[in-house]
Amino acid sequence: MSLSVGIVGLPNVGKSTLFNALLKRQVALAANYPFATIDPNTGVVPVPDARLEILAKQVGTTVIKPATVDFVDIAGLVKGASQGEGLGNKFLANIRETNLICHVIRGFTDDSILREGSTDPNSDKEIIETELLLADLATLEKQRPPKATKDKDLLFRWEVIEEMMAAARAGTPVAQVLTTKEKQKVGAELGLLTAKTVLYVVNVDESIVGNQDAELIKYADILEVHADQIVIVSARIEAEVAALGDEDAALFLEELGLKTSGLERLIAKAFDQLGLQTYLTVGEIEVRAWTITKGMTAPEAAGVIHTDFQKKFIKAKVISYPDFIEFGGWKGTKEKGKQRLEGKDYVMRPDDVVEFMVGA
């Protein structure tokens, strides 16, 4: 299971600069003109997790495999994109498979950076969301009702499509009518953009990025969304942080009044909004973090490693990460009675270090 995030926004709001910083290398063209990003750029970014290096040292391995996030940088959209304006539908299609949309909004004041179709953060939001909604409406209007059938699944699917069509025509994101898992499945199958979870990344001036709490309150009011859906960053600062080593980056962030980088805040909120967490596997060969959905049972979590592990699950040997460190790994926790054997009903926790026992 991996998390994929599509980065969208109007031209010149800082998408490609942010993307470059996320990847710690210049893989997208960050230029001061519309459509600098001609093709979607996809990069795999490790989820920051300080536990992995500590665990690796304890068990004597140099192989660390963190959980990852796939970021897809999409060319700047413009008003009319859903009808083919600018580079049009080509780029909307590139985000249909992502789990979450990261909408970068201009909050900085540099007038030397050209504006394309927007005058303020709220109009940024409205222009992009309108284009996503129009693209969804076009998809929905291509659907056809089932003919002469009593199949409950097909009839239910069409009922949901009609609900979503009514919402889209009224200017409402279809997510608002997808109130059950069954309905959400229909929205996901159609790749509807306004059915996806959205985070708003506000790209602000370097001088105010350290004032996180006040900026979150400010932009929650401006954008009319909950603060949990907003991440405040300075793309320029993220680019500077990306060029530094870990220790220097930490000192630099501290000087700015920041505890974590924008990348870490973005990933943390993405995980939270999508109901994700990780668990850990530890051995002499490798230390690894695995992404799962909150509430997954041990067999389901084992299935993320390999589908056969879920089918042939017997037990899970589980140790909490703090105990694993305090008592010296597998051997020490066994001697101290800190290991637990959990069965099929066990619900995974974020600090679980696990070894799955499966049948032949």
Side-chain angles (χ1 to χ4, degrees):
M1 179 183 293
S2 63
L3 169 62
S4 58
V5 177
I7 304 177
V8 303
L10 292 169
N12 300 335
V13 295
K15 300 181 310 304
S16 293
T17 301
L18 178 63
F19 182 76
N20 291 337
L22 293 174
L23 297 186
K24 294 191 176 181
R25 54 193 175 94
Q26 298 293 310
V27 294
L29 177 61
N32 182 23
Y33 56 89
F35 313 129
T37 310
I38 301 302
D39 292 309
N41 293 278
T42 303
V44 180
V45 180
V47 177
D49 192 338
R51 299 174 301 175
L52 298 177
E53 190 171 340
I54 296 170
L55 288 167
K57 288 180 180 178
Q58 188 161 62
V59 298
T61 183
T62 58
V63 180
I64 296 174
K65 295 183 179 179
T68 58
V69 178
D70 295 345
F71 281 95
V72 183
D73 179 32
I74 306 300
L77 299 175
V78 295
K79 187 174 182 178
S82 58
Q83 282 79 46
E85 290 297 323
L87 297 177
N89 284 326
K90 174 183 176 183
F91 295 103
L92 291 173
N94 290 324
I95 55 175
R96 292 194 186 278
E97 301 303 317
T98 59
N99 305 110
L100 178 144
I101 292 176
C102 168
H103 182 177
V104 182
I105 288 175
R106 178 169 177 154
F108 59 87
T109 56
D110 187 348
D111 292 332
S112 68
I113 305 294
L114 299 174
R115 287 185 178 272
E116 290 292 326
S118 171
T119 56
D120 59 76
N122 200 43
S123 66
D124 270 24
K125 175 175 175 279
E126 290 177 354
I127 289 171
I128 296 298
E129 290 186 347
T130 296
E131 294 309 315
L132 299 184
L133 194 59
L134 289 171
D136 281 351
L137 184 57
T139 298
L140 289 165
E141 289 179 339
K142 291 176 183 176
Q143 307 304 309
R144 295 291 177 265
K147 294 182 178 179
T149 182
K150 293 183 179 180
D151 186 302
K152 291 182 179 179
D153 289 338
L154 289 177
L155 292 172
F156 173 76
R157 180 179 183 274
W158 180 247
E159 181 182 316
V160 176
I161 287 171
E162 288 188 308
E163 285 185 46
M164 291 190 292
M165 246 188 303
R169 286 169 179 162
T172 302
V174 301
Q176 293 191 21
V177 300
L178 303 179
T179 53
T180 66
K181 288 185 178 180
E182 292 76 18
K183 289 183 176 183
Q184 289 164 6
K185 185 178 179 182
V186 177
E189 286 173 352
L190 291 171
L192 297 178
L193 303 170
T194 65
K196 298 181 185 297
T197 299
V198 180
L199 283 178
Y200 301 93
V201 175
V202 185
N203 183 15
V204 301
D205 292 321
E206 301 95 305
S207 59
I208 62 173
V209 73
N211 197 8
Q212 287 283 311
D213 291 342
E215 292 300 301
L216 282 172
I217 294 170
K218 171 185 171 182
Y219 281 102
D221 183 55
I222 291 173
L223 301 174
E224 298 180 337
V225 298
H226 197 280
D228 287 346
Q229 290 180 264
I230 300 174
V231 183
I232 303 295
V233 305
S234 164
R236 286 183 178 178
I237 285 176
E238 292 303 312
E240 291 182 47
V241 169
L244 299 173
D246 291 343
E247 289 186 11
D248 289 339
L251 288 172
F252 180 51
L253 290 170
E254 187 178 345
E255 289 174 1
L256 295 169
L258 296 171
K259 294 180 180 179
T260 57
S261 69
L263 167 63
E264 291 171 287
R265 295 193 300 278
L266 173 55
I267 290 175
K269 284 204 175 182
F271 264 62
D272 184 60
Q273 290 291 309
L274 292 172
L276 301 177
Q277 66 184 48
T278 58
Y279 71 87
L280 307 165
T281 55
V282 180
E284 293 180 359
I285 296 176
E286 69 175 29
V287 169
R288 185 162 182 169
W290 301 85
T291 302
I292 60 172
T293 303
K294 290 178 182 177
M296 267 191 174
T297 61
E300 290 170 329
V304 172
I305 298 176
H306 196 289
T307 53
D308 282 351
F309 283 19
Q310 181 170 356
K311 296 174 185 176
K312 300 175 181 180
F313 177 90
I314 299 173
K315 291 283 184 182
K317 186 189 298 180
V318 183
I319 309 164
S320 73
Y321 168 76
D323 284 347
F324 196 95
I325 299 303
E326 181 179 353
F327 298 106
W330 293 108
K331 182 179 179 181
T333 51
K334 183 177 182 180
E335 292 172 351
K336 296 293 184 179
K338 296 295 182 179
Q339 296 183 9
R340 311 187 312 272
L341 284 179
E342 302 288 359
K344 293 183 178 181
D345 295 330
Y346 177 70
V347 177
M348 301 293 292
R349 301 171 186 171
D351 69 346
D352 283 343
V353 177
V354 187
E355 180 182 312
F356 293 111
M357 287 171 275
V358 297

